[in-house]
Amino acid sequence: MKVLCKVENELRDEDNKGLVIMDLNIILLGPPGCGKGTQAKMLTEQYKIPQVSTGDILREALKKETAMGLKAKSYMDSGKLVPDEVVIGIIQDRLKQSDCQKGFILDGFPRTVVQAEALDKTLKDMGKKIEHSISIDVDDEELLGRLTGRRTCRSCGAMYHVLFNPSKKEGVCDACSGELYQRDDDKEETISNRLNIYKQQTAPLIDYYKKKDILRLVTGTGKIENIFKRIKDVLK
Ligand code: AMP
């Protein structure tokens, strides 16, 4: 009998003779502040596949003041979703790049059913599909505490928390010495808006992926390493 076991992002026969390499195409779903970005970075390390974050791509475009970045700014600052056609275009371009051909971790995309359907179509045209859609569950009260205390590095995007994961020197990134700042959309007045939008527009994706039988539910509380272990377990 052929039993497959996972070695990084490769699948091998149990006798290790025939090497079967499979794509590892993952979606990380969950409300803002549930830890998608942190877990995506850890998965990138583990499986050597890129993190594809529409939020990071949009922030980078904004920093460079491209037309797309400037268009997205007002939506992002107020915690609203950027129009579907903009983020779908971003993802279609990004997934065609060579580093995504052996797998990828989608972080923050899709966020609406229209985006999920467009993703399915794009992947189908590429002869690919999503293997796992991992929903990270955290309650609202904890999310609020996590988001208001979150600080992000302007240079490398590393994330900290003023209480739970502070940088060694206040306001300075441990990794690259960049400046830490509070994203406008992490301010209290915007957070409840983001959480409402998540419930109305993104949470229906849980059902969408459940119906496709690729939904994996993971509890997103506790130590970061334990959450990571739970995620690796569902990927087995
Ligand atoms: P994030 O870093 O994923 O929390 O995203 C920050 C902001 O970027 C969101 O609040 C939205 O304004 C925008 N954004 C990121 N991803 C998407 C998406 N898939 N659809 C629409 N807007 C998005």
Side-chain angles (χ1 to χ4, degrees), residues 90-143:
I90 290 175
I91 285 294
Q92 285 172 336
D93 290 346
R94 183 66 186 90
L95 294 184
K96 283 187 197 130
Q97 288 171 19
S98 58
D99 61 333
C100 290
Q101 301 320 306
K102 271 200 180 174
F104 49 79
I105 302 149
L106 288 177
D107 159 14
F109 184 96
R111 266 173 151 104
T112 64
V113 172
V114 171
Q115 292 176 22
E117 288 169 348
L119 175 66
D120 284 345
K121 181 168 183 322
T122 301
L123 291 177
K124 193 170 176 213
D125 292 347
M126 295 170 76
K128 296 177 184 290
K129 63 181 173 56
I130 297 293
E131 274 89 36
H132 307 276
S133 185
I134 302 169
S135 173
I136 307 178
D137 186 43
V138 178
D139 68 43
D140 282 6
E141 202 180 320
E142 174 144 357
L143 290 172

Side-chain angles (χ1 to χ4, degrees), residues 2 4-13 16-25 47-49 100-103 127-128 131:
K2 210 178 202 186
L4 295 174
C5 65
K6 208 152 251 176
V7 181
E8 297 215 327
N9 67 332
E10 298 171 348
L11 292 174
R12 291 171 196 268
D13 292 347
N16 228 8
K17 276 186 193 144
L19 179 65
V20 187
I21 300 179
M22 284 188 54
D23 286 1
L24 190 56
N25 302 331
Y47 296 109
K48 316 288 180 232
I49 49 176
C100 290
Q101 301 320 306
K102 271 200 180 174
K128 296 177 184 290
E131 274 89 36

Side-chain angles (χ1 to χ4, degrees), residues 13-74:
D13 292 347
E14 76 176 337
D15 58 6
N16 228 8
K17 276 186 193 144
L19 179 65
V20 187
I21 300 179
M22 284 188 54
D23 286 1
L24 190 56
N25 302 331
I26 308 172
I27 292 173
L28 291 182
L29 262 184
C34 73
K36 296 187 296 289
T38 304
Q39 295 298 328
K41 286 188 177 60
M42 294 168 86
L43 287 166
T44 289
E45 278 287 302
Q46 175 84 31
Y47 296 109
K48 316 288 180 232
I49 49 176
Q51 169 190 14
V52 176
S53 154
T54 36
D56 284 351
I57 295 170
L58 288 166
R59 276 184 290 278
E60 192 57 33
L62 192 55
K63 206 156 86 180
K64 292 186 180 147
E65 300 190 338
T66 67
M68 180 179 76
L70 295 173
K71 186 175 175 192
K73 182 175 169 30
S74 62

